[in-house]
Amino acid sequence: QVQLVESGGGLVQAGGSLRLSCAPNGRTLSSCHMGWFRQAPGKEREFVARISWSGTYTYYGDSVKGRFTISKDSAKSTVYLQMNSLNAEDTAVYYCAACLQSGGGFEYWGQGIQVTVSS
């Protein structure tokens, strides 16, 4: 069973930066598309970013374009989310996801990591 382990969350002031990391525990996922989602209290889960298995293609949600950058270390099957110019609206639990399926969903999910931006 693959477990995705997220790290790098925490508390940051508005305007600051954080970098999230996500790595699989148990096997490599070098051929998988990977992504990040987030869910704020009382809101639905929101797509943040996705990266192709090769790292060639990236996609972003409208609310984070120009501020967040997703990248991947294929050798380690690790995906990163560099978050800059954070604001209070970015406060959420962030979830890593791996292995995009043909139906559009991801096969594996992390347990989530809290990011809190203080204004």
Side-chain angles (χ1 to χ4, degrees):
Q1 181 68 20
V2 174
Q3 289 183 318
L4 299 178
V5 181
E6 299 121 331
S7 61
L11 175 65
V12 63
Q13 289 188 335
S17 299
L18 279 177
R19 189 176 84 151
L20 303 182
S21 300
C22 171
N25 186 4
R27 56 175 276 202
T28 59
L29 302 173
S30 57
S31 61
C32 282
H33 300 297
M34 300 183 76
W36 290 95
F37 292 76
R38 67 185 182 186
Q39 187 166 20
K43 295 187 177 181
E44 294 186 352
R45 187 173 62 190
E46 176 188 15
F47 166 72
V48 175
R50 175 164 65 88
I51 188 166
S52 62
W53 68 270
S54 64
T56 302
Y57 302 102
T58 57
Y59 309 89
Y60 296 93
D62 289 340
S63 61
V64 306
K65 281 180 183 176
R67 300 187 299 122
F68 291 12
T69 302
I70 189 170
S71 60
K72 186 182 181 189
D73 182 335
S74 295
K76 300 178 182 178
S77 297
T78 300
V79 64
Y80 305 97
L81 185 68
Q82 178 66 42
M83 305 185 294
N84 298 329
S85 302
L86 286 162
N87 56 60
E89 288 68 41
D90 296 315
T91 294
V93 176
Y94 284 71
Y95 296 90
C96 174
C99 300
L100 185 64
Q101 299 174 300
S102 57
F106 283 87
E107 183 173 1
Y108 303 110
W109 291 84
Q111 292 196 336
I113 191 165
Q114 179 69 45
V115 171
T116 302
V117 183
S118 63
S119 56

